[in-house]
Amino acid sequence: MPLTKLLSAFAKRKSPHPITSSALSAHSAQKTAFMPAKASDIGSKLLDAVALHKQGQLARAEAAYQEILQAQPRHFDALHYLGLMALQRGKTEEGIALIGQALEIDAKHPAALGNLAMALRQLGRHEEALAHYRRALDIKPDSADIGYNFVNTLLNLQRHEEALDICSRTLRLIPNAAPLLQQRGTALLLLRRYEESIADFDRALALQPDYPEALANRGVALTAINRNADAVASYTRVLQLNANDVEARYNRGISLAKLGRLAEALIDYEQVLQGKPDHLGALNNLGTALSALGRFEAAIPVYKKLLALAPDYDYAPGNLFACQLYCCDWSDYEKSRQAVVEMNRQGRKAAVPFPFLNASESPADQLACARAFVAHTFPASSHPLWTGRRYQHEKIRVAYLSADFQEHATAHLMAGLFEAHDRQRFETIAISYGPDARGGMRERLQSAFDRFIDVREKSDLEAARIMQALEVDIAVDLKGFTENSRLGILAHRPSPVQVSYLGYPGTTGADYVDYAICDKHLVSEGELGSFSEQLVFLPDSYQVNDSKRPISAQVPTRAEAGLPEKTFVFCSFNNNYKITPAVFDIWMRLLHQIAGSVLWLYEGNAAAAANLRREAQARGIAPEQLVFAPRLPQAEHLARQQLADLFLDTLPVNAHTTASDALWAGLPVLTCTGQAFAGRVATSLLHAVGLPELVTQSLDEYEALALRLASMPAELARIKAKLAHNRSTYPLFNTVRFCRHLEAAYVEMWERSQRGEAPAGFSVPAMLH
C-alpha cells in the first residue's frame, strides 16, 4: 500500500519553475532603455555616463547623470537612468520617483513604463505594476521584454488565464520569442493543459535548445501526463547545464519514482537534502520512496524530521504512523493514533485513507478522510467525458482498472472471475496501469479478457479517453486507495456507471464513483450514510475467490518450516502493520496458557521481527516462541499453511485475501468482528464457508474461543473436517456462482443507467443452486 498517495503520492510543485526578474541593470528590458543620445555635448556626456553605468561604476555614472540634469533638469534619459541606478542600489522608492519624473516628460516611453512596473512590483503594488505593463505593451505590442515581465507578474499572481492571453497576443507579433513561448507553456501547465504546454516548451527549445526553464517545466508537464521517461530526460539535461539546480533534481526524483526506479529516486532526494536539509518535499518523498522499498525503519526518522519542521505537512502524521505499524514499533502507538484521528476530525490532511483504517474504526471518520483525500488528490474533472449518451451494445462492456494484473493478491482472487464471465452477455476489458510483468499469471489474465489495454504510460485523461472511445458501459476500479492507485482515471467520468470493488475495504468518498460492492456482514443498515457510493449487497460474500488456485503437493515438514514438531501452532500471516498491541497482548497470553505453543508470523521486514520478539519478551514470552515465515510463491505458501493449527485474525483491520488463503488451504480462521468494513471481511468469509462459529463479537470472546480450541483437539479437528467439506460445497470458493451474482449486479446498474435513473443501492438475490 502506498503511504502518501502514498501520489500523494509524491509532492507536486505548485509553481513548476517560477521566473523572477533579474537585476535591473542586467535585464533585457533595460537594454531598450539605454537609447543613443543626440550629437551634442549633453549627448556625448550621456553616452559616457551610460558606459560607466554598464561597467558598474555607479558613483561616476551618477555624477555624470547629475551633471546632465544641472544643465537640463528635464532630461528624460538622465532621470530614467538615475531611477534605474536607485533601484539597483535597493532604493526602490527613490527609483520610482525618478522614473516617474522621466515619465512626466515622455509619458509614452515603453521601457520606462516597464521599469516603473518592475519597481512597483517589488513593493507589492501589483495592480499599479500591471497597469503600467499593460500601457507599455499597448504602446509597443511587439516588445518581448515588456511582454515577458508582464506575463511573469501575472504568473506569480496566479492569474494564469490573463498570462496566457498576453503571451498569445504578443506571440502573434513575435512568434519566435523563446522566452514568451516558455512562459505560455508555463501558463498552460498551471492551467493543466499539459499537451499544449509541452508543444510550447518544444517550440522554445527548438529556438533555444539549452533553455533550462523550458526543459524543467517541460519535465513537470510530462510527469503530469505520465510520460515519466521523457521527463527524466528533460530534468537530466537541466542538471547537465547546472548540477546545482535543486528543483530539477527533486522533480527528477519524482519522475524516477513513478517509473519504479526507486533506488535512483532516493539518490536524487538525498542529494537535494545535502544542499537543502530542510527541503520539505524531498523529505516527504524520501520517506515515501523508502516505504515503497519496504525500508520502513529508515523512513521513520525521515518523517519525524519532516514533522519537526512542518507539523501539518500533508499526510505526514499518517505516513509516520503507518511506517511505525509496519515495523511493529509501538513506542508511542496510542499517542500517534489519537493525533491522526483528531487531526482528521479537524479537517486537516492527517493521513491517506489506507493507513487511516488502522487509526480509526469509525465509518464516519473514514468517510471524512476519504473525501478530503479525493478532493485534494483525485478531484472530479470539470469536463466529464461521459455526458449522458446511452450506448446500444449487444453486450454490456465492463472494464476492470488495476495495477495488479500480474502475480498479486488481487489477481489470485479474481483470475477465475475474469474467465467465468458470460461472453454471450458481457465484453470484458482490462485497463492495466501496472508493470508489464511477464509470467504465468500475466499470460492467464491476458487470455481471460476480450481486450487487454496497457495504459501505464498514458495520463489519467488519456486513459479515460481510451475508455470513452471504447464506449465502456461499466468501469470497475479494483484499487481504491491502495498502492499505485489511479482513481484519477474515473475522475474524468469516462463511463456511465462507475464502481469500486475489492481493492479498498471502505468508501472512496468520490462522488464520481456510483456504486460499491459489499455484503450484509460488511455494512449494516445504519452505516449506509458513511459511504459516498450507493451500496450493492451480494448474497454470499463480497469477496471473489478463484477455485482453480493451485496448492503445492510438496508440503514441507514442520522442521523445514522452522516449527517444532509436536506443539500447538498459532498462525497469523497478516501483514505486520495489522498487528496492534491489544491483539498482540491476547496472543502472548495464549502462548502463556498453551504449553509449548508457538506463534507463526509473516516476516514483512527485519525490524518488525526484532520489535515483536522484544515485545514478546517484555510480556514474559521467550523470543523463540515467535517463528517468522519468509515470502514464498503462492502455491507453496498455501501448502505450508497446512502445518498450522489455528489462524488468529487481527483488528481493527482483518485478514482479507490472507483469510481466504488460509481457508482454501484448510486452516481454520478465528476472527473478531470490527466496527467498519475493513474489520468485518473475515466475518463475511467465514459465513460464506459455513463456519460462523469462528466469528466472535469482542476481543474477550475471541481470546476465550482461541484458548478453548487450542485446549480441545477434538473440537478443532471437527472444525477442520467441516472446513474441508464446506470448501467445495459452500459459496465462498464457488467462482461461477459468485460471477453470476456479480453479473446480476452489473445488469441492474446498467438497466438503471439505460433508463436515465440515478444510481441507487440494491441487494442481489441469491441463486437457488
Side-chain angles (χ1 to χ4, degrees), residues 634-700:
Q634 175 74 1
E636 296 174 41
H637 170 63
L638 292 172
R640 70 178 170 186
Q641 296 197 50
Q642 298 172 33
L643 302 176
D645 294 298
L646 180 64
F647 186 106
L648 299 174
D649 201 6
T650 49
L651 206 66
V653 178
N654 279 175
H656 297 176
T657 306
T658 313
S660 54
D661 283 350
L663 295 169
W664 181 244
L667 176 60
V669 174
L670 173 63
T671 194
C672 181
T673 303
Q675 297 177 31
F677 189 130
R680 297 174 177 174
V681 172
T683 295
S684 168
L685 302 179
L686 287 164
H687 277 88
V689 81
L691 288 173
E693 61 265 40
L694 292 180
V695 176
T696 63
Q697 301 304 317
S698 71
L699 287 177
D700 287 343

Side-chain angles (χ1 to χ4, degrees), residues 206-283:
L207 295 164
Q208 192 174 323
D210 290 338
Y211 194 158
E213 289 83 4
L215 285 163
N217 287 349
R218 179 176 181 269
V220 175
L222 289 164
T223 301
I225 62 171
N226 223 33
R227 287 173 54 188
N228 294 295
D230 292 336
V232 168
S234 272
Y235 293 132
T236 298
R237 182 58 189 145
V238 176
L239 292 167
Q240 289 169 348
L241 297 171
N242 178 11
N244 296 319
D245 191 319
V246 170
E247 293 308 307
R249 190 171 299 281
Y250 167 68
N251 280 344
R252 187 174 70 174
I254 293 173
S255 296
L256 287 166
K258 288 191 170 187
L259 287 168
R261 293 161 60 180
L262 292 168
E264 295 170 79
L266 284 179
I267 294 171
D268 272 347
Y269 297 143
E270 287 167 346
Q271 288 186 357
V272 168
L273 291 166
Q274 286 174 8
K276 290 189 68 176
D278 59 349
H279 192 295
L280 301 181
L283 282 167

Side-chain angles (χ1 to χ4, degrees), residues 48-249:
D48 291 341
V50 168
L52 292 167
H53 195 163
K54 287 183 175 181
Q55 293 165 14
Q57 299 186 47
L58 300 186
R60 292 180 63 192
E62 181 180 16
Y65 290 142
Q66 292 291 359
E67 187 177 345
I68 293 170
L69 288 173
Q70 286 175 5
Q72 191 175 326
R74 288 177 56 78
H75 192 283
F76 174 86
D77 289 320
L79 288 166
H80 185 194
Y81 298 154
L82 276 173
L84 293 177
M85 188 178 294
L87 296 177
Q88 286 175 258
R89 289 169 164 168
K91 299 178 179 180
T92 308
E93 295 282 7
E94 180 182 333
I96 288 172
L98 287 164
I99 296 173
Q101 290 178 45
L103 285 167
E104 289 175 3
I105 300 165
D106 182 356
K108 295 185 178 182
H109 195 285
L113 287 165
N115 289 332
L116 179 59
M118 290 178 68
L120 290 165
R121 176 181 161 185
Q122 288 179 3
L123 292 179
R125 293 160 62 178
H126 299 299
E127 291 304 323
E128 293 175 77
L130 292 173
H132 284 84
Y133 279 134
R134 190 169 286 106
R135 187 176 177 195
L137 202 60
D138 285 343
I139 295 166
K140 191 169 178 56
D142 61 348
S143 171
D145 299 314
I146 293 169
Y148 179 94
N149 290 333
F150 189 3
V151 171
N152 186 35
T153 304
L154 290 166
L155 288 176
N156 284 330
L157 292 172
Q158 299 187 30
R159 291 163 66 166
H160 306 138
E161 291 283 4
E162 292 176 70
L164 178 62
D165 179 62
I166 297 300
C167 271
S168 296
R169 281 197 287 146
T170 309
L171 282 166
R172 281 195 286 271
L173 298 173
I174 41 173
N176 292 326
L180 282 171
L181 286 166
Q182 196 285 133
Q183 282 188 314
R184 187 169 69 178
T186 301
L188 289 163
L189 170 59
L190 293 169
L191 290 167
R192 301 187 178 187
R193 294 164 60 177
Y194 301 119
E195 290 86 353
E196 295 170 81
S197 74
I198 291 167
D200 271 348
F201 294 137
D202 286 344
R203 285 180 61 194
L205 289 165
L207 295 164
Q208 192 174 323
D210 290 338
Y211 194 158
E213 289 83 4
L215 285 163
N217 287 349
R218 179 176 181 269
V220 175
L222 289 164
T223 301
I225 62 171
N226 223 33
R227 287 173 54 188
N228 294 295
D230 292 336
V232 168
S234 272
Y235 293 132
T236 298
R237 182 58 189 145
V238 176
L239 292 167
Q240 289 169 348
L241 297 171
N242 178 11
N244 296 319
D245 191 319
V246 170
E247 293 308 307
R249 190 171 299 281

